[in-house]
Amino acid sequence: MDNAILSFKDVAKSYPDGENTLDILQAIDFQLNKGEFIGLVGPSGAGKSTLLSLAGALLNPTQGEIYLDGISMASLSPKEQTALRLSKIGFIFQSAHLVPYLNVKEQLLFVAKLHGTAKGDANHHADELLDKLGLTHRSKHYPDKLSGGEQQRIAIARAMMNDPSLILADEPTASLDFSRATSVVEWLSHEVNEQGKGALMVTHDERMLRFCDRVIQLEDGKIRSIS
Amino acid sequence: MYLSWKEICHSKGRFFFMMLIIALLSYLVFFISGLANGLSSDNASAIEKYSHQTFILQKDADQRINRSALTSDTVNRLRDKLGTDRTHPLNLLTTTGNKVNKEQKIDLTFFNGQPSQSSSVTLIDGKQPNKASTVDIIIDQSIQKSGVHLGDRIKDQLSGLTFRIVGLTKHTTYSHMPVAYLNQAEWHLLSKKAALNSARPLESAAVLTSLSVQEAKELTHGLPLSQDVQVLSAADVIKSLPGYSAEQSSLTMMISFLFLISVFILGVFFYIITVQKRSQFGLLKAIGTGTAYLARSLLFQTLIVLVISLGISLLLTWITALVLPSGMPFALSLATIGTRLAAFFVISMISILLSIYQIIKIDTLSALEGR
Ligand SMILES: Nc1ncnc2c1ncn2[C@@H]1O[C@H](COP(=O)(O)OP(=O)(O)O)[C@@H](O)[C@H]1O
Ligand SMILES: [Mg+2]
């Protein structure tokens, strides 16, 4: 139990749909431990993105509890949830969603600034991340000058910038070619295992699953298997 | 502040045009306000000197002081009734004159009020005339545009009298003409001569009283007079000056429209920009940027835009005031500038509040997914 970063306790999510309710997720129960990299697979519409949003407190569950580092997230105010996302969660969305008027390095420095990290440390960390993701030569460029793959790698670097304990990635490699995708995911899983973080990654690419410690298969809003 | 500043630096062109539009709009507002004030002052400043007094005019004059003619009998009865110590007649005569030995004709108006009245106007040059003098006068400095200066003598064509200018005053014009103040002796002389030439006695335009409009109305009600009279506030008299309402209402309408356009530009512009950046704000919130931070950064951005553009427009206005020909009626008081600036700030604050409300309302997830 001590080892858990994220745990879902019998979580359900539904939306009102006229007279009825639309059950998107049901009876989700699992635990993500320190140093663990979990893959999340399932057909489109299975509820993978919704599960990730719940884990990142972008949504509140209709039922059940979600704990991040032992804290029940539903009990927090929206403001506290925002602060939690800033300090503990690294989000990687399907599309990069970079801030158009910040250059590559500034994208990273901005989150450090929000977090209140000392300038020197932030600078050092940003350089390190850019180097690891092969983006050092791009650090002064603005997003509109970068390829989709480069943008996505910056989004990944940004997610790692505040040293989050939980990384939530929604198809992060969709816009990367195979060799680039492999090296990025390998690096992510290495970071997670090495630094005792936790990661939940949605992917459609079976070939990425070999870097995952466990794979959760989602179907029709329910967990079909965890392996 | 970091975000807003970065955005301004990155989208220099867009912000430059936004500032340019706001600067030009507010410049137009300042310029037209200056024109409206200038024209108003050019038309009415001499009457504004009596702004705390109540006017009694001939009823048939239709509120127009230039048409009003009260007989001395009416004036005496009115003053008896209202109290001679708190009333005085206002005599005015619009005429044409010329500088002695010069052909060029100059329109001007002679004013004769309470003996002490002329001393309440501010002299900008020269001295007050001797009370007993029959030739010395003070006149509005705008006469200088016609080449008449301190110490010059001007001849009134109606009466044939010649006066010597011993002092120049400021903000003392009537119907876009300079006003010359006559003392009792001079007016007496003028009215005798002018009456001789036009074959009718010069009559007083109005009786002024320090009583309120209401009090004056009650006291004059049912008073047996040979003429019907009308009690008016100074503001009503000014409004009815020839051309005054027409000038002011068209300029006021222009200013209102400019403000309306500004509301659209500032309000809708900022508002739409915020709506357009919905997914960006959604992302920023998702990665942990607080709403307060976003609101502050929006506020900061709007204030920068506003301060720079209003600064530019004030600079333009100042330059304009410097290069305008001196004959152009243009007057901007600090109070006018202040209220206009305040109006711009209020409009912007409302638009900021609307935008901040937008930001608060944004649902992070749907904004990210573009729903
Ligand atoms: N706000 C919402 N209201 C109603 N239905 C929703 C909402 N969000 C998602 N859904 C539905 O939930 C289902 C799961 O969506 P999602 O989690 O995005 O699936 P996945 O990421 O696995 O493709 C979809 O059928 C989607 O239409
Ligand atoms: Mg999805």
mmCIF file of all heavy atoms in Angstrom, chain A residues 102-126:
data_model
loop_
_atom_site.group_PDB
_atom_site.id
_atom_site.type_symbol
_atom_site.label_atom_id
_atom_site.label_comp_id
_atom_site.label_asym_id
_atom_site.label_seq_id
_atom_site.Cartn_x
_atom_site.Cartn_y
_atom_site.Cartn_z
ATOM 1 N N LEU A 102 5.687 31.053 -26.809
ATOM 2 C CA LEU A 102 6.884 30.758 -26.011
ATOM 3 C C LEU A 102 7.798 29.893 -26.856
ATOM 4 O O LEU A 102 7.333 28.971 -27.547
ATOM 5 C CB LEU A 102 6.495 29.999 -24.734
ATOM 6 C CG LEU A 102 5.634 30.747 -23.722
ATOM 7 C CD1 LEU A 102 5.383 29.872 -22.491
ATOM 8 C CD2 LEU A 102 6.267 32.061 -23.304
ATOM 9 N N ASN A 103 9.096 30.155 -26.815
ATOM 10 C CA ASN A 103 9.999 29.290 -27.557
ATOM 11 C C ASN A 103 10.212 27.999 -26.764
ATOM 12 O O ASN A 103 9.756 27.868 -25.631
ATOM 13 C CB ASN A 103 11.300 30.012 -27.937
ATOM 14 C CG ASN A 103 12.216 30.273 -26.750
ATOM 15 O OD1 ASN A 103 12.207 29.527 -25.772
ATOM 16 N ND2 ASN A 103 13.008 31.325 -26.846
ATOM 17 N N VAL A 104 10.883 27.059 -27.405
ATOM 18 C CA VAL A 104 10.996 25.714 -26.840
ATOM 19 C C VAL A 104 11.473 25.733 -25.382
ATOM 20 O O VAL A 104 10.857 25.141 -24.493
ATOM 21 C CB VAL A 104 11.948 24.878 -27.716
ATOM 22 C CG1 VAL A 104 12.342 23.595 -27.015
ATOM 23 C CG2 VAL A 104 11.284 24.582 -29.051
ATOM 24 N N LYS A 105 12.533 26.445 -25.139
ATOM 25 C CA LYS A 105 13.084 26.478 -23.780
ATOM 26 C C LYS A 105 12.108 27.134 -22.814
ATOM 27 O O LYS A 105 11.928 26.687 -21.680
ATOM 28 C CB LYS A 105 14.415 27.247 -23.820
ATOM 29 C CG LYS A 105 15.119 27.333 -22.489
ATOM 30 C CD LYS A 105 16.426 26.587 -22.500
ATOM 31 C CE LYS A 105 17.152 26.726 -21.189
ATOM 32 N NZ LYS A 105 18.429 27.435 -21.370
ATOM 33 N N GLU A 106 11.459 28.208 -23.300
ATOM 34 C CA GLU A 106 10.519 28.930 -22.437
ATOM 35 C C GLU A 106 9.301 28.084 -22.060
ATOM 36 O O GLU A 106 8.741 28.251 -20.974
ATOM 37 C CB GLU A 106 10.051 30.228 -23.128
ATOM 38 C CG GLU A 106 11.129 31.300 -23.176
ATOM 39 C CD GLU A 106 10.840 32.407 -24.177
ATOM 40 O OE1 GLU A 106 9.881 32.270 -24.977
ATOM 41 O OE2 GLU A 106 11.586 33.403 -24.183
ATOM 42 N N GLN A 107 8.910 27.169 -22.969
ATOM 43 C CA GLN A 107 7.803 26.268 -22.637
ATOM 44 C C GLN A 107 8.122 25.533 -21.348
ATOM 45 O O GLN A 107 7.262 25.344 -20.487
ATOM 46 C CB GLN A 107 7.596 25.207 -23.746
ATOM 47 C CG GLN A 107 7.392 25.735 -25.129
ATOM 48 C CD GLN A 107 5.954 26.116 -25.430
ATOM 49 O OE1 GLN A 107 5.039 25.739 -24.712
ATOM 50 N NE2 GLN A 107 5.772 26.882 -26.484
ATOM 51 N N LEU A 108 9.368 25.112 -21.233
ATOM 52 C CA LEU A 108 9.796 24.343 -20.066
ATOM 53 C C LEU A 108 9.990 25.260 -18.862
ATOM 54 O O LEU A 108 9.554 24.951 -17.749
ATOM 55 C CB LEU A 108 11.104 23.604 -20.357
ATOM 56 C CG LEU A 108 11.133 22.691 -21.586
ATOM 57 C CD1 LEU A 108 12.390 21.836 -21.568
ATOM 58 C CD2 LEU A 108 9.913 21.798 -21.645
ATOM 59 N N LEU A 109 10.623 26.406 -19.104
ATOM 60 C CA LEU A 109 10.901 27.310 -17.988
ATOM 61 C C LEU A 109 9.615 27.842 -17.369
ATOM 62 O O LEU A 109 9.551 28.107 -16.177
ATOM 63 C CB LEU A 109 11.789 28.472 -18.456
ATOM 64 C CG LEU A 109 13.196 28.065 -18.876
ATOM 65 C CD1 LEU A 109 14.006 29.276 -19.313
ATOM 66 C CD2 LEU A 109 13.917 27.343 -17.730
ATOM 67 N N PHE A 110 8.576 27.983 -18.235
ATOM 68 C CA PHE A 110 7.319 28.533 -17.726
ATOM 69 C C PHE A 110 6.716 27.669 -16.611
ATOM 70 O O PHE A 110 6.309 28.186 -15.569
ATOM 71 C CB PHE A 110 6.321 28.709 -18.873
ATOM 72 C CG PHE A 110 4.950 29.116 -18.411
ATOM 73 C CD1 PHE A 110 4.765 30.328 -17.763
ATOM 74 C CD2 PHE A 110 3.860 28.295 -18.622
ATOM 75 C CE1 PHE A 110 3.510 30.716 -17.331
ATOM 76 C CE2 PHE A 110 2.602 28.671 -18.180
ATOM 77 C CZ PHE A 110 2.429 29.888 -17.534
ATOM 78 N N VAL A 111 6.697 26.348 -16.829
ATOM 79 C CA VAL A 111 6.114 25.496 -15.779
ATOM 80 C C VAL A 111 6.968 25.518 -14.513
ATOM 81 O O VAL A 111 6.445 25.473 -13.397
ATOM 82 C CB VAL A 111 5.848 24.042 -16.243
ATOM 83 C CG1 VAL A 111 4.635 23.976 -17.128
ATOM 84 C CG2 VAL A 111 7.046 23.455 -16.926
ATOM 85 N N ALA A 112 8.279 25.624 -14.697
ATOM 86 C CA ALA A 112 9.162 25.710 -13.528
ATOM 87 C C ALA A 112 8.883 27.009 -12.777
ATOM 88 O O ALA A 112 8.877 27.052 -11.545
ATOM 89 C CB ALA A 112 10.617 25.660 -13.963
ATOM 90 N N LYS A 113 8.634 28.066 -13.550
ATOM 91 C CA LYS A 113 8.353 29.371 -12.972
ATOM 92 C C LYS A 113 7.051 29.326 -12.169
ATOM 93 O O LYS A 113 6.986 29.833 -11.046
ATOM 94 C CB LYS A 113 8.227 30.368 -14.126
ATOM 95 C CG LYS A 113 8.278 31.826 -13.744
ATOM 96 C CD LYS A 113 8.236 32.647 -15.022
ATOM 97 C CE LYS A 113 7.869 34.079 -14.755
ATOM 98 N NZ LYS A 113 8.895 34.796 -14.005
ATOM 99 N N LEU A 114 6.028 28.692 -12.765
ATOM 100 C CA LEU A 114 4.753 28.547 -12.053
ATOM 101 C C LEU A 114 4.960 27.811 -10.740
ATOM 102 O O LEU A 114 4.362 28.118 -9.722
ATOM 103 C CB LEU A 114 3.759 27.748 -12.897
ATOM 104 C CG LEU A 114 3.032 28.436 -14.035
ATOM 105 C CD1 LEU A 114 2.137 27.436 -14.733
ATOM 106 C CD2 LEU A 114 2.214 29.607 -13.525
ATOM 107 N N HIS A 115 5.842 26.841 -10.805
ATOM 108 C CA HIS A 115 6.093 25.991 -9.654
ATOM 109 C C HIS A 115 6.968 26.681 -8.624
ATOM 110 O O HIS A 115 7.038 26.272 -7.467
ATOM 111 C CB HIS A 115 6.768 24.693 -10.130
ATOM 112 C CG HIS A 115 6.785 23.617 -9.116
ATOM 113 N ND1 HIS A 115 7.959 23.046 -8.679
ATOM 114 C CD2 HIS A 115 5.792 23.014 -8.429
ATOM 115 C CE1 HIS A 115 7.679 22.132 -7.760
ATOM 116 N NE2 HIS A 115 6.365 22.087 -7.608
ATOM 117 N N GLY A 116 7.651 27.727 -9.047
ATOM 118 C CA GLY A 116 8.511 28.459 -8.125
ATOM 119 C C GLY A 116 9.906 27.875 -7.996
ATOM 120 O O GLY A 116 10.588 28.096 -7.009
ATOM 121 N N THR A 117 10.322 27.124 -9.005
ATOM 122 C CA THR A 117 11.675 26.565 -8.993
ATOM 123 C C THR A 117 12.706 27.685 -9.206
ATOM 124 O O THR A 117 12.466 28.610 -9.972
ATOM 125 C CB THR A 117 11.835 25.541 -10.136
ATOM 126 O OG1 THR A 117 10.698 24.691 -10.142
ATOM 127 C CG2 THR A 117 13.098 24.723 -9.986
ATOM 128 N N ALA A 118 13.825 27.578 -8.521
ATOM 129 C CA ALA A 118 14.882 28.582 -8.682
ATOM 130 C C ALA A 118 15.359 28.597 -10.136
ATOM 131 O O ALA A 118 15.434 27.552 -10.787
ATOM 132 C CB ALA A 118 16.048 28.264 -7.757
ATOM 133 N N LYS A 119 15.666 29.793 -10.629
ATOM 134 C CA LYS A 119 16.005 29.980 -12.044
ATOM 135 C C LYS A 119 17.147 29.088 -12.522
ATOM 136 O O LYS A 119 17.044 28.443 -13.568
ATOM 137 C CB LYS A 119 16.383 31.447 -12.290
ATOM 138 C CG LYS A 119 15.232 32.250 -12.882
ATOM 139 C CD LYS A 119 15.744 33.441 -13.700
ATOM 140 C CE LYS A 119 14.594 34.192 -14.319
ATOM 141 N NZ LYS A 119 14.345 35.502 -13.752
ATOM 142 N N GLY A 120 18.203 29.058 -11.730
ATOM 143 C CA GLY A 120 19.373 28.282 -12.135
ATOM 144 C C GLY A 120 19.047 26.803 -12.277
ATOM 145 O O GLY A 120 19.394 26.169 -13.279
ATOM 146 N N ASP A 121 18.331 26.271 -11.305
ATOM 147 C CA ASP A 121 17.946 24.862 -11.329
ATOM 148 C C ASP A 121 17.076 24.573 -12.536
ATOM 149 O O ASP A 121 17.272 23.569 -13.247
ATOM 150 C CB ASP A 121 17.156 24.492 -10.055
ATOM 151 C CG ASP A 121 18.033 24.544 -8.823
ATOM 152 O OD1 ASP A 121 19.274 24.667 -9.009
ATOM 153 O OD2 ASP A 121 17.506 24.473 -7.701
ATOM 154 N N ALA A 122 16.097 25.466 -12.758
ATOM 155 C CA ALA A 122 15.156 25.266 -13.858
ATOM 156 C C ALA A 122 15.906 25.250 -15.187
ATOM 157 O O ALA A 122 15.678 24.388 -16.042
ATOM 158 C CB ALA A 122 14.113 26.374 -13.855
ATOM 159 N N ASN A 123 16.805 26.196 -15.325
ATOM 160 C CA ASN A 123 17.601 26.306 -16.548
ATOM 161 C C ASN A 123 18.388 25.028 -16.812
ATOM 162 O O ASN A 123 18.395 24.480 -17.904
ATOM 163 C CB ASN A 123 18.561 27.486 -16.366
ATOM 164 C CG ASN A 123 18.758 28.229 -17.656
ATOM 165 O OD1 ASN A 123 17.971 28.075 -18.588
ATOM 166 N ND2 ASN A 123 19.809 29.021 -17.718
ATOM 167 N N HIS A 124 19.016 24.561 -15.771
ATOM 168 C CA HIS A 124 19.826 23.351 -15.834
ATOM 169 C C HIS A 124 18.972 22.150 -16.228
ATOM 170 O O HIS A 124 19.305 21.393 -17.142
ATOM 171 C CB HIS A 124 20.483 23.126 -14.476
ATOM 172 C CG HIS A 124 21.394 21.943 -14.449
ATOM 173 N ND1 HIS A 124 22.617 21.941 -15.089
ATOM 174 C CD2 HIS A 124 21.233 20.718 -13.874
ATOM 175 C CE1 HIS A 124 23.181 20.755 -14.906
ATOM 176 N NE2 HIS A 124 22.360 19.995 -14.184
ATOM 177 N N HIS A 125 17.842 22.014 -15.560
ATOM 178 C CA HIS A 125 16.950 20.897 -15.801
ATOM 179 C C HIS A 125 16.398 20.922 -17.225
ATOM 180 O O HIS A 125 16.320 19.900 -17.911
ATOM 181 C CB HIS A 125 15.798 20.922 -14.778
ATOM 182 C CG HIS A 125 15.010 19.649 -14.719
ATOM 183 N ND1 HIS A 125 13.816 19.531 -14.073
ATOM 184 C CD2 HIS A 125 15.271 18.428 -15.242
ATOM 185 C CE1 HIS A 125 13.357 18.307 -14.208
ATOM 186 N NE2 HIS A 125 14.229 17.612 -14.909
ATOM 187 N N ALA A 126 16.032 22.140 -17.686
ATOM 188 C CA ALA A 126 15.489 22.292 -19.037
ATOM 189 C C ALA A 126 16.521 21.874 -20.083
ATOM 190 O O ALA A 126 16.214 21.115 -21.013
ATOM 191 C CB ALA A 126 15.055 23.738 -19.266
#
